[in-house]
Amino acid sequence: MASSISEDELSHIFTELWDVDDNRCLYGEDYELNLQSSLRRSDGDADRSSEPLFLWLDEDRVLARPTYRAFAALLDNYELAVGIPESVTAEELSENAAFIQACLDTRPMRAAHRFLAGRGLASQSVRGFAAELDQIWFHMYKRVRGGPRNLQDSSAFEHVFVGETRSEDGSDSEAASVTGAHNWLQLYLLERAGRLNYFGYYRRGTAAPGVNGQPGLAALKFSLDDGPVKPRGGGFVGVSPEFELALYTVAFLCCGGQRPQARIGPHRVRVYCHTIGPGRLATCYPELID
């Protein structure tokens, strides 16, 4: 690992974040899925699910919660195609700060801060930690290959939580495939808008939510805006935005550039945490091991 954090320590903090995520959505009360057909690698681009992934989500209840509301306000702030410069307005900077503050007021993010600050991996002060979160998640950088050296077309938040599109040659294109997009609420909103086509799920890699309303993990195949199929994507389902922000921040600061394994609640998970240059988070997402 990039630091001296052991797998047992990671399992402890990851499970603590899971246990204190009291703002998670409850399966059967806040939302339901329709997973339908499981997939095989031999299926290629075949669509094995004729119905949407989400049966329903109680938007009045879920999107009224402070962190969910602040999260949803960020989703229309980006040009999804890599290679197109991002223009960040004062209003968007304010929305970024509001989301970070809303997360800092929650138990998962406070637990993450204590853990990281106690190991010298984050500022001791809440204000300092907020600035670090802004740098990790919202600092713009260049993701596309080629083009101007000073191009700023991406951020960690955009890739992980919102999703990006990229054509085979790296340029903007109507046939661009989706990359990133590991947040379940964003997938719901894209599907509701008629932009996401769900193809099915992989049985290996999926732990369906539902036991006592608990969240789960899902390995999915889907396409965006009638573009090429994303052969495997997804992540947690039912967790709160602050849980994911806290967990991925811990993973990045402890294990950036690596794929640590740890227990997260009842699940054993590998967390992919790729970087793009020194100190820049490229992507972070979970993969169920058992």
PDB file of all heavy atoms in Angstrom, residues 246-269:
ATOM      1  N   ALA A 246     -16.725   9.681   1.581  1.00  0.00           N
ATOM      2  CA  ALA A 246     -15.834   9.370   2.701  1.00  0.00           C
ATOM      3  C   ALA A 246     -14.971   8.150   2.395  1.00  0.00           C
ATOM      4  O   ALA A 246     -13.747   8.164   2.588  1.00  0.00           O
ATOM      5  CB  ALA A 246     -16.662   9.130   3.963  1.00  0.00           C
ATOM      6  N   LEU A 247     -15.592   7.075   1.903  1.00  0.00           N
ATOM      7  CA  LEU A 247     -14.849   5.843   1.652  1.00  0.00           C
ATOM      8  C   LEU A 247     -13.788   6.035   0.573  1.00  0.00           C
ATOM      9  O   LEU A 247     -12.639   5.612   0.731  1.00  0.00           O
ATOM     10  CB  LEU A 247     -15.812   4.727   1.266  1.00  0.00           C
ATOM     11  CG  LEU A 247     -15.186   3.334   1.154  1.00  0.00           C
ATOM     12  CD1 LEU A 247     -16.122   2.276   1.726  1.00  0.00           C
ATOM     13  CD2 LEU A 247     -14.857   2.986  -0.300  1.00  0.00           C
ATOM     14  N   TYR A 248     -14.154   6.693  -0.523  1.00  0.00           N
ATOM     15  CA  TYR A 248     -13.203   6.874  -1.615  1.00  0.00           C
ATOM     16  C   TYR A 248     -12.088   7.847  -1.232  1.00  0.00           C
ATOM     17  O   TYR A 248     -10.956   7.711  -1.705  1.00  0.00           O
ATOM     18  CB  TYR A 248     -13.926   7.358  -2.872  1.00  0.00           C
ATOM     19  CG  TYR A 248     -14.939   6.378  -3.428  1.00  0.00           C
ATOM     20  CD1 TYR A 248     -16.036   6.826  -4.160  1.00  0.00           C
ATOM     21  CD2 TYR A 248     -14.811   5.004  -3.232  1.00  0.00           C
ATOM     22  CE1 TYR A 248     -16.965   5.940  -4.688  1.00  0.00           C
ATOM     23  CE2 TYR A 248     -15.732   4.122  -3.741  1.00  0.00           C
ATOM     24  CZ  TYR A 248     -16.809   4.589  -4.470  1.00  0.00           C
ATOM     25  OH  TYR A 248     -17.726   3.698  -4.982  1.00  0.00           O
ATOM     26  N   THR A 249     -12.395   8.815  -0.373  1.00  0.00           N
ATOM     27  CA  THR A 249     -11.354   9.727   0.104  1.00  0.00           C
ATOM     28  C   THR A 249     -10.343   8.967   0.956  1.00  0.00           C
ATOM     29  O   THR A 249      -9.128   9.148   0.807  1.00  0.00           O
ATOM     30  CB  THR A 249     -11.971  10.880   0.910  1.00  0.00           C
ATOM     31  OG1 THR A 249     -12.862  11.628   0.069  1.00  0.00           O
ATOM     32  CG2 THR A 249     -10.891  11.810   1.439  1.00  0.00           C
ATOM     33  N   VAL A 250     -10.825   8.111   1.848  1.00  0.00           N
ATOM     34  CA  VAL A 250      -9.926   7.292   2.660  1.00  0.00           C
ATOM     35  C   VAL A 250      -9.092   6.383   1.768  1.00  0.00           C
ATOM     36  O   VAL A 250      -7.869   6.259   1.942  1.00  0.00           O
ATOM     37  CB  VAL A 250     -10.724   6.462   3.691  1.00  0.00           C
ATOM     38  CG1 VAL A 250      -9.819   5.431   4.373  1.00  0.00           C
ATOM     39  CG2 VAL A 250     -11.359   7.377   4.737  1.00  0.00           C
ATOM     40  N   ALA A 251      -9.736   5.749   0.787  1.00  0.00           N
ATOM     41  CA  ALA A 251      -9.005   4.848  -0.110  1.00  0.00           C
ATOM     42  C   ALA A 251      -7.917   5.600  -0.867  1.00  0.00           C
ATOM     43  O   ALA A 251      -6.791   5.114  -1.001  1.00  0.00           O
ATOM     44  CB  ALA A 251      -9.978   4.188  -1.091  1.00  0.00           C
ATOM     45  N   PHE A 252      -8.224   6.786  -1.355  1.00  0.00           N
ATOM     46  CA  PHE A 252      -7.251   7.562  -2.122  1.00  0.00           C
ATOM     47  C   PHE A 252      -6.077   7.995  -1.253  1.00  0.00           C
ATOM     48  O   PHE A 252      -4.906   7.833  -1.643  1.00  0.00           O
ATOM     49  CB  PHE A 252      -7.936   8.778  -2.736  1.00  0.00           C
ATOM     50  CG  PHE A 252      -6.983   9.752  -3.364  1.00  0.00           C
ATOM     51  CD1 PHE A 252      -6.206   9.392  -4.454  1.00  0.00           C
ATOM     52  CD2 PHE A 252      -6.864  11.034  -2.863  1.00  0.00           C
ATOM     53  CE1 PHE A 252      -5.322  10.295  -5.035  1.00  0.00           C
ATOM     54  CE2 PHE A 252      -5.985  11.940  -3.433  1.00  0.00           C
ATOM     55  CZ  PHE A 252      -5.212  11.574  -4.521  1.00  0.00           C
ATOM     56  N   LEU A 253      -6.361   8.530  -0.087  1.00  0.00           N
ATOM     57  CA  LEU A 253      -5.279   9.053   0.759  1.00  0.00           C
ATOM     58  C   LEU A 253      -4.456   7.941   1.391  1.00  0.00           C
ATOM     59  O   LEU A 253      -3.289   8.145   1.710  1.00  0.00           O
ATOM     60  CB  LEU A 253      -5.862   9.976   1.833  1.00  0.00           C
ATOM     61  CG  LEU A 253      -6.440  11.293   1.301  1.00  0.00           C
ATOM     62  CD1 LEU A 253      -7.083  12.090   2.428  1.00  0.00           C
ATOM     63  CD2 LEU A 253      -5.358  12.124   0.598  1.00  0.00           C
ATOM     64  N   CYS A 254      -5.030   6.767   1.539  1.00  0.00           N
ATOM     65  CA  CYS A 254      -4.291   5.637   2.108  1.00  0.00           C
ATOM     66  C   CYS A 254      -3.648   4.763   1.033  1.00  0.00           C
ATOM     67  O   CYS A 254      -2.561   4.212   1.263  1.00  0.00           O
ATOM     68  CB  CYS A 254      -5.216   4.755   2.953  1.00  0.00           C
ATOM     69  SG  CYS A 254      -5.819   5.525   4.461  1.00  0.00           S
ATOM     70  N   CYS A 255      -4.295   4.620  -0.101  1.00  0.00           N
ATOM     71  CA  CYS A 255      -3.897   3.595  -1.065  1.00  0.00           C
ATOM     72  C   CYS A 255      -3.989   4.075  -2.503  1.00  0.00           C
ATOM     73  O   CYS A 255      -4.268   3.277  -3.407  1.00  0.00           O
ATOM     74  CB  CYS A 255      -4.770   2.347  -0.911  1.00  0.00           C
ATOM     75  SG  CYS A 255      -5.048   1.810   0.762  1.00  0.00           S
ATOM     76  N   GLY A 256      -3.805   5.348  -2.761  1.00  0.00           N
ATOM     77  CA  GLY A 256      -3.911   5.877  -4.104  1.00  0.00           C
ATOM     78  C   GLY A 256      -3.011   5.147  -5.082  1.00  0.00           C
ATOM     79  O   GLY A 256      -1.835   4.911  -4.797  1.00  0.00           O
ATOM     80  N   GLY A 257      -3.560   4.765  -6.225  1.00  0.00           N
ATOM     81  CA  GLY A 257      -2.790   4.040  -7.225  1.00  0.00           C
ATOM     82  C   GLY A 257      -2.789   2.544  -7.027  1.00  0.00           C
ATOM     83  O   GLY A 257      -2.114   1.825  -7.775  1.00  0.00           O
ATOM     84  N   GLN A 258      -3.541   2.059  -6.045  1.00  0.00           N
ATOM     85  CA  GLN A 258      -3.540   0.629  -5.756  1.00  0.00           C
ATOM     86  C   GLN A 258      -4.960   0.066  -5.755  1.00  0.00           C
ATOM     87  O   GLN A 258      -5.926   0.792  -6.032  1.00  0.00           O
ATOM     88  CB  GLN A 258      -2.855   0.386  -4.411  1.00  0.00           C
ATOM     89  CG  GLN A 258      -1.411   0.898  -4.403  1.00  0.00           C
ATOM     90  CD  GLN A 258      -0.674   0.517  -3.135  1.00  0.00           C
ATOM     91  OE1 GLN A 258      -0.842  -0.577  -2.612  1.00  0.00           O
ATOM     92  NE2 GLN A 258       0.136   1.427  -2.641  1.00  0.00           N
ATOM     93  N   ARG A 259      -5.074  -1.225  -5.446  1.00  0.00           N
ATOM     94  CA  ARG A 259      -6.360  -1.912  -5.426  1.00  0.00           C
ATOM     95  C   ARG A 259      -6.486  -2.689  -4.118  1.00  0.00           C
ATOM     96  O   ARG A 259      -6.468  -3.913  -4.103  1.00  0.00           O
ATOM     97  CB  ARG A 259      -6.489  -2.850  -6.621  1.00  0.00           C
ATOM     98  CG  ARG A 259      -6.416  -2.142  -7.969  1.00  0.00           C
ATOM     99  CD  ARG A 259      -6.564  -3.117  -9.124  1.00  0.00           C
ATOM    100  NE  ARG A 259      -5.444  -4.057  -9.162  1.00  0.00           N
ATOM    101  CZ  ARG A 259      -5.373  -5.107  -9.978  1.00  0.00           C
ATOM    102  NH1 ARG A 259      -6.373  -5.357 -10.806  1.00  0.00           N
ATOM    103  NH2 ARG A 259      -4.325  -5.891  -9.971  1.00  0.00           N
ATOM    104  N   PRO A 260      -6.644  -1.975  -2.995  1.00  0.00           N
ATOM    105  CA  PRO A 260      -6.686  -2.665  -1.706  1.00  0.00           C
ATOM    106  C   PRO A 260      -7.935  -3.517  -1.544  1.00  0.00           C
ATOM    107  O   PRO A 260      -8.996  -3.200  -2.098  1.00  0.00           O
ATOM    108  CB  PRO A 260      -6.686  -1.513  -0.694  1.00  0.00           C
ATOM    109  CG  PRO A 260      -7.326  -0.377  -1.439  1.00  0.00           C
ATOM    110  CD  PRO A 260      -6.834  -0.526  -2.852  1.00  0.00           C
ATOM    111  N   GLN A 261      -7.797  -4.583  -0.794  1.00  0.00           N
ATOM    112  CA  GLN A 261      -8.924  -5.427  -0.438  1.00  0.00           C
ATOM    113  C   GLN A 261      -9.247  -5.196   1.030  1.00  0.00           C
ATOM    114  O   GLN A 261      -8.357  -5.011   1.856  1.00  0.00           O
ATOM    115  CB  GLN A 261      -8.602  -6.895  -0.675  1.00  0.00           C
ATOM    116  CG  GLN A 261      -8.329  -7.240  -2.128  1.00  0.00           C
ATOM    117  CD  GLN A 261      -8.065  -8.722  -2.327  1.00  0.00           C
ATOM    118  OE1 GLN A 261      -8.473  -9.549  -1.524  1.00  0.00           O
ATOM    119  NE2 GLN A 261      -7.389  -9.054  -3.414  1.00  0.00           N
ATOM    120  N   ALA A 262     -10.534  -5.211   1.347  1.00  0.00           N
ATOM    121  CA  ALA A 262     -10.961  -4.993   2.726  1.00  0.00           C
ATOM    122  C   ALA A 262     -12.402  -5.435   2.868  1.00  0.00           C
ATOM    123  O   ALA A 262     -13.120  -5.631   1.881  1.00  0.00           O
ATOM    124  CB  ALA A 262     -10.818  -3.518   3.109  1.00  0.00           C
ATOM    125  N   ARG A 263     -12.847  -5.577   4.107  1.00  0.00           N
ATOM    126  CA  ARG A 263     -14.253  -5.839   4.374  1.00  0.00           C
ATOM    127  C   ARG A 263     -14.966  -4.512   4.531  1.00  0.00           C
ATOM    128  O   ARG A 263     -14.480  -3.595   5.173  1.00  0.00           O
ATOM    129  CB  ARG A 263     -14.433  -6.690   5.629  1.00  0.00           C
ATOM    130  CG  ARG A 263     -13.890  -8.102   5.504  1.00  0.00           C
ATOM    131  CD  ARG A 263     -14.681  -9.072   6.372  1.00  0.00           C
ATOM    132  NE  ARG A 263     -16.028  -9.297   5.867  1.00  0.00           N
ATOM    133  CZ  ARG A 263     -16.341 -10.172   4.900  1.00  0.00           C
ATOM    134  NH1 ARG A 263     -15.390 -10.910   4.336  1.00  0.00           N
ATOM    135  NH2 ARG A 263     -17.584 -10.316   4.513  1.00  0.00           N
ATOM    136  N   ILE A 264     -16.134  -4.426   3.917  1.00  0.00           N
ATOM    137  CA  ILE A 264     -17.011  -3.272   4.072  1.00  0.00           C
ATOM    138  C   ILE A 264     -18.349  -3.821   4.538  1.00  0.00           C
ATOM    139  O   ILE A 264     -19.109  -4.384   3.739  1.00  0.00           O
ATOM    140  CB  ILE A 264     -17.160  -2.478   2.763  1.00  0.00           C
ATOM    141  CG1 ILE A 264     -15.790  -2.011   2.253  1.00  0.00           C
ATOM    142  CG2 ILE A 264     -18.083  -1.286   2.968  1.00  0.00           C
ATOM    143  CD1 ILE A 264     -15.839  -1.246   0.941  1.00  0.00           C
ATOM    144  N   GLY A 265     -18.612  -3.708   5.818  1.00  0.00           N
ATOM    145  CA  GLY A 265     -19.813  -4.327   6.365  1.00  0.00           C
ATOM    146  C   GLY A 265     -19.771  -5.817   6.120  1.00  0.00           C
ATOM    147  O   GLY A 265     -18.769  -6.488   6.427  1.00  0.00           O
ATOM    148  N   PRO A 266     -20.825  -6.406   5.515  1.00  0.00           N
ATOM    149  CA  PRO A 266     -20.869  -7.856   5.304  1.00  0.00           C
ATOM    150  C   PRO A 266     -20.120  -8.315   4.059  1.00  0.00           C
ATOM    151  O   PRO A 266     -20.069  -9.512   3.785  1.00  0.00           O
ATOM    152  CB  PRO A 266     -22.368  -8.126   5.147  1.00  0.00           C
ATOM    153  CG  PRO A 266     -22.903  -6.868   4.541  1.00  0.00           C
ATOM    154  CD  PRO A 266     -22.098  -5.742   5.131  1.00  0.00           C
ATOM    155  N   HIS A 267     -19.530  -7.383   3.313  1.00  0.00           N
ATOM    156  CA  HIS A 267     -18.948  -7.708   2.022  1.00  0.00           C
ATOM    157  C   HIS A 267     -17.425  -7.609   2.044  1.00  0.00           C
ATOM    158  O   HIS A 267     -16.860  -6.732   2.694  1.00  0.00           O
ATOM    159  CB  HIS A 267     -19.477  -6.763   0.937  1.00  0.00           C
ATOM    160  CG  HIS A 267     -20.960  -6.661   0.896  1.00  0.00           C
ATOM    161  ND1 HIS A 267     -21.771  -7.731   0.583  1.00  0.00           N
ATOM    162  CD2 HIS A 267     -21.796  -5.611   1.149  1.00  0.00           C
ATOM    163  CE1 HIS A 267     -23.035  -7.351   0.636  1.00  0.00           C
ATOM    164  NE2 HIS A 267     -23.076  -6.075   0.966  1.00  0.00           N
ATOM    165  N   ARG A 268     -16.793  -8.514   1.292  1.00  0.00           N
ATOM    166  CA  ARG A 268     -15.362  -8.375   1.028  1.00  0.00           C
ATOM    167  C   ARG A 268     -15.219  -7.752  -0.353  1.00  0.00           C
ATOM    168  O   ARG A 268     -15.759  -8.253  -1.345  1.00  0.00           O
ATOM    169  CB  ARG A 268     -14.645  -9.722   1.081  1.00  0.00           C
ATOM    170  CG  ARG A 268     -13.134  -9.596   0.883  1.00  0.00           C
ATOM    171  CD  ARG A 268     -12.391 -10.854   1.334  1.00  0.00           C
ATOM    172  NE  ARG A 268     -10.971 -10.730   1.083  1.00  0.00           N
ATOM    173  CZ  ARG A 268     -10.130 -10.037   1.829  1.00  0.00           C
ATOM    174  NH1 ARG A 268     -10.578  -9.382   2.881  1.00  0.00           N
ATOM    175  NH2 ARG A 268      -8.850  -9.962   1.542  1.00  0.00           N
ATOM    176  N   VAL A 269     -14.482  -6.649  -0.407  1.00  0.00           N
ATOM    177  CA  VAL A 269     -14.470  -5.801  -1.593  1.00  0.00           C
ATOM    178  C   VAL A 269     -13.044  -5.422  -1.958  1.00  0.00           C
ATOM    179  O   VAL A 269     -12.187  -5.251  -1.102  1.00  0.00           O
ATOM    180  CB  VAL A 269     -15.315  -4.530  -1.331  1.00  0.00           C
ATOM    181  CG1 VAL A 269     -15.158  -3.500  -2.438  1.00  0.00           C
ATOM    182  CG2 VAL A 269     -16.788  -4.899  -1.173  1.00  0.00           C
TER     183      VAL A 269
END
